[in-house]
Amino acid sequence: MITENRRHTSATPGGIGASVSNIEAMDKVRGRFVYANDLTRAGMLYGATLRSPYPHARIEAIDTQVTRRLPGVQAVLTHADIPGRPTYGFEEPDQPVLAWDQVRYQGEPVAIVAAESAEAAQAALQAITVRYVRLEPLTDPKRVASGEGANLHPQGNTLRRLPIVWGNPQMQAPVVVRQSYSVAMQDPAFLAPEAGLAQPDGEGGIEVWAASQWLHADRAQIAAALALPEERVHLHLAGVGGAFGGREDITLQIHLALLAQATGRPVKMSYTREESFLAHAHRHPAQMWYEHGADLDGTLRYVRAHILLDGGAYASSSNAVVVNAATFACGPYRVPNGSIEAEVVFTNHPIAGAMRGFGAVQVAFAYEAQMDRLAQALGMDPVELRRKNALRTGDVLPTGQRLEGPVPVDRLLERLQEVPLPQSASAGFPGVHRGVGFAVAFKNIGYSSGMDDTATVRLRMQTGEDGSPEVHLWSAAAEVGQGIRTVQRQILTEEFGNLRIVLEPIATDVASAGSTSASRQTWMTAAALKEACAALREVLWERAEKELGAQEGAGRLVIREGMLWRTRETELPAQEEPHVSLKSLLRETPVEVERTHHHRPTQPLDPQTGQGNAHLDFAFVAHRAVVDVDLGSGSIRPVELATIQEVGRAVNPKMVSGQMEGGSAQGLGLALMEALESKEGVVQNASFESYLVPTSEDVPPIYTELLEESDPSAPYGLKGVGEMPTLSSGPAITAAVRAASGRALTRFPIRPEDLLLPQPNVAVFLTPTQEQEAESLPMEQINAMTEEHFVATLGFAVEESPWVARAVFQRRPFPDPQALADAFREVLISASPKRQRAILMTHPELATARNAAVGLSALSRSEQAQGGFSTLDDGALSWWRRFNHLYRIKFGFPYVFALRAHAEEDRVSVARARLRNAPAIELACAIEEVSQIARTRILDRVGGLQSVMEREA
């Protein structure tokens, strides 16, 4: 039998550090848990919402006369029926409760109805007539950012632009990696669609039950729309079936309250799955342009980036999201110089908000891809490069904020390397290649930028019906499946021992606990609860002194075994120390205290430079992914995810591991399959049939490990954990696919065509460039160069791998150009197979010069053009594309052929012969071709080499 959840009572032991079960788990598993959609009331009506079918349109008229006369219809409301403020919003009240002059996204609410049955409510919607004039939708954020299109809001289409400038923003470097990246819109995809119930309280107020992440923020917006004082609006948390940021914004709460107020009866609303996709906030799509500069030893010199976020039609949490995107744009690395510009614009897409890991997730894809490509260019191990540049305690972020607490980036990566790799089950399958990828990331904990973030709890200790002492807790902290109720019980057990604990219902009967978001709820509620427990003990001791007499000296107040002790011991008190029974202290009246915690102050970022101590604290995470990629079909099979997360002190290790697994799966979804697609603002896949999320068949085994480093600034040393695993799992999977396929992979999620069709190459270049020193160089000048100048001058000879030139430099001096060319060949053929494959992966396939979308280097484009590959007829072009596909399936790297060194040979015959080679033989052949390409490129650069080669010929 399902009964409505009201309170939870337990005397089960298990303090901080115990892996006790989530207190809601058994009810959910057995089907007894009451979700928002399970709520019922006698005589209730059914609400429904009329939504715009267009992403952008002007409303000419709304006719509800027919609807109002339909049988069973009790209320039809439009914007004209809203008694209070007609707009609402999580950060800015810019969103219409019901649209009146125009609609700005598909699915925007225009009217609401209440009827005696769900069927009657749907029929009522069909009878409403709305006359729209369609307007051109704004759907390209780049065009919007450049000022094109009409303004969607009076203040313009740019909601916020945030620059961060530090060190020398014009800094140069000998090795530079530059590329653009994009991340799609991800849906929170919680399993329980929005639902709720509202009813008049009989005293002119309204009660609302809804699945929410912040009841008090909802209450403020509801009260404003209903023109009621906030104290006349009472909210109760209904059972939540997942959130991930998607329940932080208002969806149906105001509509429910309006209908209950208008009808004087209880009203229930439940969204369909398609309606849910349109109604709630999503992850911001992002377009990002990055440039990393480094020294030849891999030390980062600078990062320059531009991040453009698509906020959709209204502000939601975009102001906070753009701050996170900007402040974490460089990743957990020491970057002494650079400039970041992040901006968020309005479009006619669905609303984007604070989805799990907001802002930090998007940039992690970009900066981790940059680190992998930089490692490839330098010939370094990707993990070695990360560890070399890893942030450490005391380092300063681009915003000028100094890292004071634990910063274990290097240790996370070191430990992750020690985790054994899974055995290969794909060996022997043609065209299937295994890849391993690493990623590391970090994010803030708590609200930032000067916000006075608070959480309040109320405690009461009393005797129960059997005379035993028990403690009651009131807290409005939203339980959305993450386990805050279980954490509260563990803290109370830690503080008071094995007393009976009663967790009262989550509602606005107590002051706000803030939002369950930004990984803040455990930190903030734990801090408030710790302060309340200390205050409660003090009140009890004041009573105890009347029985014991005044006690001299300091000491801890400890409650254990139903007794209150004053003790100097660090562990359990000794029998001879002062103590008194709780039962005697509570005989006459209970003890009740309420405490509000404010975290330490933060600062807003300077609007011109982005400098400031914006964040409360930080947490770090790393992932290693193993994937198998079928280059014939473009399919990707995740084999394993391993993750290690810095968690402060784990309150409940089992629940932390669960968060790590769930967040890792959500990151996997964004990397491989999740994208809410729209065409001119119209959503194309608003269902779980076409919007794909990872299932148990898609998620591989996940190895989790907790790194506990208690933070002295945090309550009990703990940290929030929910968002971090979403940051690095996707980038690690992408890195593994990149390693297996050799593709640049610059958009996420990865699609099969990204593995099967020609893709843009990542731009890697050296400074000064060869164009700046195009004159022929004598050997004397070559031998006199510094290492940096040598690599900058000759590093281009091997595509995107200046580390080869660095290794050649160590063999100086060179007596003649012949020795120089031979040195390049010797470095190439003596490199490890892993490095050789990495070199081959950087080379473009033949017959791609005609495709403008493929980012060939200037030299590669010129060489293919000289070889006639830019003018192939359709038949020849089709043959080479088919050949390249078969070759890559067999060998796992692109076909490399030194066109200028074999100008007169039958290229088709050579290609067919090489396709028949054994893999080891072909690897050697391909590296020999790379050395020939390097030789001809050096010929163009070094004086005297041409005559040597002509004599050889």
Side-chain angles (χ1 to χ4, degrees):
M1 177 180 178
I2 296 177
T3 58
E4 191 170 324
N5 298 298
R6 297 195 178 277
R7 62 167 59 175
H8 187 276
T9 304
S10 174
T12 303
I16 292 176
S19 285
V20 299
S21 296
N22 188 308
I23 62 175
E24 294 181 344
M26 292 309 297
D27 280 346
K28 289 179 176 178
V29 169
R30 293 172 176 172
R32 297 193 304 230
F33 185 80
V34 178
Y35 291 97
N37 197 38
D38 296 321
L39 298 174
T40 60
R41 293 292 184 273
M44 72 180 186
L45 300 171
Y46 293 83
T49 308
L50 181 69
R51 300 180 179 275
S52 166
Y54 307 117
H56 196 197
R58 186 170 64 251
I59 297 175
E60 296 278 291
I62 304 173
D63 187 351
T64 63
Q65 294 184 33
V66 174
T67 305
R68 295 178 190 277
R69 295 194 296 267
L70 290 177
V73 174
Q74 298 299 322
V76 182
L77 306 181
T78 68
H79 69 277
D81 302 300
I82 299 170
R85 190 175 67 193
T87 58
Y88 68 97
F90 184 69
E91 290 180 347
E92 298 186 18
D94 65 342
Q95 192 167 346
V97 174
L98 294 169
W100 63 87
D101 58 342
Q102 64 174 305
V103 290
R104 296 178 176 88
Y105 69 98
Q106 180 201 11
E108 181 159 2
V110 176
I112 51 177
V113 301
E116 298 290 347
S117 67
E119 294 76 15
Q122 290 301 315
L125 296 183
Q126 299 297 319
I128 299 174
T129 301
V130 183
R131 190 163 70 246
Y132 296 101
V133 175
R134 297 179 64 176
L135 303 172
E136 180 182 359
L138 303 182
T139 57
D140 185 345
K142 286 188 289 187
R143 292 181 59 189
V144 172
S146 67
E148 295 186 36
N151 285 342
L152 296 178
H153 296 277
Q155 71 271 32
N157 290 333
T158 297
L159 175 60
R160 184 172 184 180
R161 182 179 288 111
L162 176 62
I164 300 178
V165 181
W166 72 103
N168 177 6
Q170 282 76 47
M171 176 62 69
Q172 298 299 312
V175 181
V176 177
V177 179
R178 177 189 292 161
Q179 187 57 43
S180 61
Y181 302 91
S182 64
V183 175
M185 176 175 279
Q186 185 181 24
D187 191 87
F190 37 71
L191 292 183
E194 290 81 355
L197 186 144
Q199 68 182 21
D201 66 2
E203 298 177 356
I206 293 289
E207 286 192 277
V208 179
W209 288 258
S212 170
Q213 291 179 237
W214 191 353
L215 292 176
H216 286 76
D218 291 359
R219 182 178 71 169
Q221 296 171 81
I222 295 169
L226 271 62
L228 290 174
E230 285 191 29
E231 60 269 19
R232 304 306 299 273
V233 179
H234 306 278
L235 261 72
H236 308 265
L237 186 72
V240 181
F244 316 116
R247 301 190 196 271
E248 198 165 27
D249 297 75
I250 289 280
T251 50
L252 47 65
Q253 291 93 318
I254 296 177
H255 297 160
L256 276 169
L258 285 169
L259 290 170
Q261 185 184 58
T263 62
R265 291 171 60 179
V267 179
K268 179 179 179 177
M269 265 188 169
S270 303
Y271 284 176
T272 65
R273 179 64 63 188
E274 179 180 7
E275 193 174 15
S276 177
F277 268 100
L278 299 177
H280 57 234
H282 312 78
R283 189 180 304 287
H284 287 72
Q287 299 180 39
M288 300 167 286
W289 295 263
Y290 265 79
E291 182 179 306
H292 278 55
D295 289 326
L296 296 175
D297 67 355
T299 302
L300 287 173
R301 280 195 182 181
Y302 71 85
V303 169
R304 289 190 276 270
H306 179 216
I307 300 153
L308 177 59
L309 301 174
D310 182 346
Y314 296 101
S316 182
S317 302
S318 287
N319 277 305
V321 175
V322 78
V323 169
N324 274 9
T327 55
F328 298 106
C330 294
Y333 305 110
R334 293 191 304 276
V335 182
N337 310 284
S339 61
I340 305 292
E341 184 179 63
E343 60 181 320
V344 59
V345 297
F346 292 115
T347 67
N348 291 117
H349 283 135
I351 299 166
M355 187 177 164
R356 189 179 198 173
F358 55 93
V361 167
Q362 292 89 326
V363 295
F365 275 96
Y367 65 66
E368 286 299 85
Q370 287 286 96
M371 293 298 283
D372 279 340
R373 298 303 298 213
L374 185 60
Q376 186 175 14
L378 293 165
M380 292 182 67
D381 179 83
V383 178
E384 176 190 350
L385 179 67
R386 286 171 168 84
R387 294 182 65 183
K388 181 180 184 66
N389 292 283
L391 285 171
R392 292 172 172 82
T393 301
D395 284 343
V396 176
L397 297 176
T399 59
Q401 182 166 354
R402 187 173 299 277
L403 294 170
E404 304 291 352
V407 185
V409 179
D410 183 66
R411 289 195 298 283
L412 289 172
L413 289 167
E414 179 184 29
R415 177 66 193 109
L416 203 55
Q417 286 182 297
E418 296 170 353
V419 177
L421 285 164
Q423 292 185 348
S424 175
S426 59
F429 288 89
V432 177
H433 298 270
R434 175 154 292 186
V436 179
F438 290 81
V440 62
F442 78 133
K443 186 189 174 292
N444 61 312
I445 290 173
Y447 282 155
S448 306
S449 302
M451 179 175 179
D452 181 20
D453 193 11
T454 65
T456 298
V457 301
R458 185 164 71 241
L459 282 179
R460 185 170 69 212
M461 188 172 284
Q462 64 186 43
T463 54
E465 293 181 359
D466 62 355
S468 300
E470 60 187 28
V471 60
H472 292 242
L473 168 67
W474 285 263
S475 168
E479 170 63 74
V480 298
Q482 86 284 20
I484 187 62
R485 301 273 272 178
T486 308
V487 166
Q488 290 168 343
R489 189 186 69 182
Q490 289 183 258
I491 291 172
L492 291 172
T493 300
E494 183 80 11
E495 293 286 349
F496 298 140
N498 195 22
L499 291 185
R500 183 184 296 118
I501 296 168
V502 180
L503 303 180
E504 298 290 349
I506 302 169
T508 53
D509 297 332
V510 66
S512 176
S515 177
T516 296
S517 63
S519 300
R520 62 169 293 284
Q521 191 59 264
T522 297
W523 176 305
M524 296 297 294
T525 293
L529 194 48
K530 186 176 184 180
E531 294 167 15
C533 290
L536 191 146
R537 281 193 297 269
E538 290 289 350
V539 174
L540 287 171
W541 189 254
E542 290 175 6
R543 294 187 182 184
E545 286 185 324
K546 296 178 182 178
E547 295 189 23
L548 298 175
Q551 301 292 321
E552 296 182 2
R556 293 190 309 133
L557 294 176
V558 178
I559 293 177
R560 288 291 183 272
E561 306 301 330
M563 309 293 289
L564 174 66
W565 306 72
R566 181 179 286 282
T567 176
R568 297 178 185 274
E569 300 294 325
T570 57
E571 300 297 333
L572 292 178
Q575 285 295 325
E576 64 271 13
E577 293 181 296
H579 62 279
V580 64
S581 79
L582 295 177
K583 186 179 295 187
S584 65
L585 296 178
L586 300 170
R587 187 180 300 116
E588 296 181 3
T589 57
V591 175
E592 185 168 299
V593 297
E594 183 171 291
R595 288 294 182 271
T596 298
H597 175 72
H598 299 251
H599 69 56
R600 65 175 179 266
T602 58
Q603 300 172 346
L605 294 174
D606 184 279
Q608 303 303 319
T609 65
Q611 298 299 295
N613 293 331
H615 298 303
L616 170 65
D617 207 341
F618 306 89
F620 301 82
V621 63
H623 274 82
R624 185 193 67 194
V626 181
V627 303
D628 285 340
V629 178
D630 187 337
L631 296 178
S633 65
S635 65
I636 300 166
R637 185 179 74 88
V639 175
E640 183 197 65
L641 275 173
T643 177
I644 304 177
Q645 184 170 326
E646 182 256 334
V647 299
R649 183 184 179 193
V651 178
N652 187 317
K654 181 167 67 174
M655 291 203 306
V656 172
S657 292
Q659 288 288 305
M660 294 167 68
E661 292 174 1
S664 297
Q666 206 155 31
L668 179 152
L670 183 55
L672 297 182
M673 60 184 69
E674 291 189 51
L676 194 64
E677 305 283 357
S678 68
K679 184 176 181 180
E680 293 302 309
V682 178
V683 175
Q684 304 294 297
N685 57 335
S687 75
F688 283 155
E689 291 180 339
S690 49
Y691 182 90
L692 303 179
V693 297
T695 68
S696 59
E697 294 293 319
D698 304 302
V699 179
I702 300 177
Y703 171 86
T704 64
E705 186 174 312
L706 281 57
L707 178 62
E708 292 191 87
E709 293 199 353
S710 185
D711 189 335
S713 68
Y716 305 105
L718 59 80
K719 287 188 175 181
V721 300
E723 294 180 291
M724 269 52 73
T726 314
L727 305 179
S728 53
S729 57
I733 289 165
T734 305
V737 177
R738 191 181 291 116
S741 68
R743 297 305 182 100
L745 303 179
T746 60
R747 65 172 182 170
F748 316 103
I750 302 167
R751 299 161 176 86
E753 57 265 31
D754 296 333
L755 301 175
L756 301 175
L757 301 178
Q759 294 294 308
N761 286 334
V762 173
V764 179
F765 58 94
L766 308 165
T767 55
T769 63
Q770 57 268 26
E771 287 78 14
Q772 293 173 313
E773 298 185 359
E775 73 278 2
S776 183
L777 297 172
M779 285 306 304
E780 294 80 5
Q781 186 172 344
I782 291 289
N783 285 326
M785 287 179 175
T786 64
E787 181 180 12
E788 183 174 310
H789 194 186
F790 183 91
V791 175
T793 304
L794 297 177
F796 73 94
V798 180
E799 195 90 4
E800 293 187 24
S801 303
W803 69 267
V804 177
R806 184 173 58 187
V808 170
F809 175 82
Q810 306 303 322
R811 301 177 180 229
R812 292 177 314 139
F814 304 106
D816 53 43
Q818 174 72 44
L820 176 63
D822 288 346
F824 270 86
R825 180 177 182 274
E826 290 165 7
V827 169
L828 287 166
I829 64 175
S830 63
S832 67
K834 181 179 179 180
R835 277 195 163 183
Q836 289 179 338
R837 284 180 170 274
I839 290 169
L840 295 172
M841 290 296 195
T842 67
H843 281 260
E845 294 172 330
L846 292 176
T848 53
R850 273 181 50 177
N851 187 348
V854 177
L856 299 181
S857 68
L859 274 173
S860 291
R861 187 173 295 280
S862 172
E863 288 162 353
Q864 289 208 22
Q866 290 179 44
F869 278 83
S870 62
T871 57
L872 293 176
D873 61 37
D874 289 344
L877 183 65
S878 176
W879 188 91
W880 278 104
R881 286 178 174 170
R882 177 61 179 163
F883 167 78
N884 284 329
H885 179 64
L886 294 173
Y887 182 93
R888 188 184 279 268
I889 289 175
K890 181 173 181 180
F891 299 113
F893 49 78
Y895 178 68
V896 179
F897 186 69
L899 290 166
R900 290 195 288 166
H902 306 288
E904 304 302 323
E905 294 189 40
D906 183 347
R907 295 162 183 168
V908 171
S909 297
V910 171
R912 284 173 170 160
R914 284 178 56 185
L915 188 61
R916 293 192 291 269
N917 281 340
I921 294 175
E922 182 54 26
L923 178 63
C925 288
I927 288 297
E928 189 63 44
E929 293 299 310
V930 173
S931 71
Q932 290 293 331
I933 292 171
R935 194 179 187 86
T936 55
R937 288 177 174 181
I938 293 171
L939 178 150
D940 299 329
R941 198 72 189 87
V942 180
L945 183 58
Q946 184 169 6
S947 60
V948 172
M949 296 184 71
E950 287 173 348
R951 286 198 305 271
E952 286 183 351

